[in-house]
Amino acid sequence: MSVPTFDQFIEPILRFLASHPGGVATKEAQDAAADRLGLTESQRLEFIASGQAMFRNRANWAHDRLKRAGLSSSAKRGFWVLTPDGVSYAASHPAPLSEAEVEHLAVGFMDVKLKAPDEKTLPDKESVSPAAATASPDDRLEQALSELRDSVASDLLDRLKQTSPGRFEVMVLDVLHRLGYGTSREDLQRVGGSGDGGIDGVISLDKLGLEKVYVQAKRWQGSVGRPELQAFYGALAGQKAKRGVFITTSAFTPQAVDFAKSVEGIVIVDGARLVYLMMDNEVGVTSRVVRVPRVDSDYFDEES
């Protein structure tokens, strides 16, 4: 018997989290869902290509849908808890959920972007919307890749927010080096710390260090405002610098964006852009090759 599809994990995850209002460890919720679904030992030992247990993978995607619906969240890595809306939903929707409601949770919120992630891998099978059911295999592949990228982006952003400030500064310099800044990694130096004057890193664009880019890398809880960018601009002036990059795990307020556009030499990168730069340049991310077969028409052309 195959492992149940991810939509069948939605209600077990919801009910278990509802019975633990303070939240639980991810593994505990996964195991509880498997128990409720009556998974056998052999089913629990089935794995997907990445090496993750299939039932954990599908439990993760069930929680992903609850998160997209605004019913649950990841307060911290490896920890799930219902939101206030989730608690109300569970109380107002007694068990068992109707098939229509489960399908609504499974496919009705797929386009909702997540701000905080879990570790997830695309499940082998899942319920699909009517539009997805009529899509071509190539279209479905593109949709799956897009969903995977969004999932990894959310996971990356969550992990970045949990790193130490010093480690985050190093990661930012790694990304900038992958983007082509500095002839070697040694040309990108971290200088953050007390008394750094608002500068966390310096990039030498040439071997003599005549051309430099100054970097500020900040893990931020709220949005970065105009005052923070003005302070960075002042720090650049103090270094007689012409170029600066301000990178944050957060977002920038409209006023901050307008300020960056009004002055020369400042580039701003928010958390959403940063994680996609990390994926595209494989910083803290590994990729696997998917072999998609296609007929080689040239091979079948007969010689004239």
Side-chain angles (χ1 to χ4, degrees), residues 19-37:
S19 67
H20 295 75
V24 297
T26 297
K27 185 176 183 298
E28 185 179 352
Q30 294 168 342
D31 290 336
D35 292 342
R36 180 160 180 163
L37 290 171

Side-chain angles (χ1 to χ4, degrees), residues 63-262:
H63 187 250
D64 170 90
R65 294 305 192 254
L66 291 174
K67 288 175 62 179
R68 291 177 192 270
L71 304 181
S72 189
S73 67
S74 298
K76 56 185 177 181
R77 184 184 173 204
F79 190 84
W80 295 350
V81 61
L82 289 187
T83 63
D85 285 344
V87 173
S88 299
Y89 178 91
S92 61
H93 291 75
L97 295 175
S98 67
E99 291 185 8
E101 188 61 23
V102 172
E103 181 178 357
H104 175 61
L105 291 173
V107 303
F109 302 92
M110 291 175 63
D111 294 332
V112 175
K113 298 297 184 181
L114 293 175
K115 293 184 178 179
D118 299 289
E119 292 186 26
K120 296 181 284 288
T121 310
L122 189 66
D124 294 347
K125 298 179 181 179
E126 62 179 68
S127 300
V128 295
S129 64
T134 59
S136 71
D138 282 339
D139 289 340
R140 292 199 299 273
L141 180 59
E142 289 296 325
Q143 180 182 357
L145 289 173
S146 176
E147 191 170 355
L148 265 176
R149 280 176 62 83
D150 287 346
S151 171
V152 173
S154 295
D155 193 13
L156 276 174
L157 189 56
D158 183 58
R159 293 184 182 225
L160 287 175
K161 290 179 178 179
Q162 296 176 40
T163 60
S164 67
R167 179 59 179 159
F168 178 63
E169 292 165 5
V170 171
M171 291 177 176
V172 163
L173 293 178
D174 288 340
V175 173
L176 292 173
H177 179 54
R178 287 293 185 91
L179 288 173
Y181 290 93
T183 55
S184 70
R185 181 59 180 83
E186 288 69 32
D187 293 329
L188 292 84
Q189 297 294 325
R190 172 177 171 252
V191 296
S194 59
D196 60 17
I199 302 298
D200 297 317
V202 180
I203 305 172
S204 295
L205 299 181
D206 61 275
K207 285 299 183 181
L208 296 178
L210 297 176
E211 291 290 332
K212 294 182 178 180
V213 175
Y214 290 81
V215 181
Q216 185 163 127
K218 298 299 182 187
R219 296 181 311 137
W220 216 267
Q221 295 300 319
S223 296
V224 177
R226 182 187 180 103
E228 287 77 30
L229 278 188
Q230 287 177 320
F232 179 52
Y233 189 66
L236 293 179
Q239 298 288 338
K240 297 182 179 180
K242 298 179 180 179
R243 303 174 186 177
V245 182
F246 194 117
I247 300 181
T248 178
T249 54
S250 181
F252 294 93
T253 65
Q255 294 79 12
V257 173
D258 289 342
F259 177 78
K261 291 178 179 178
S262 70

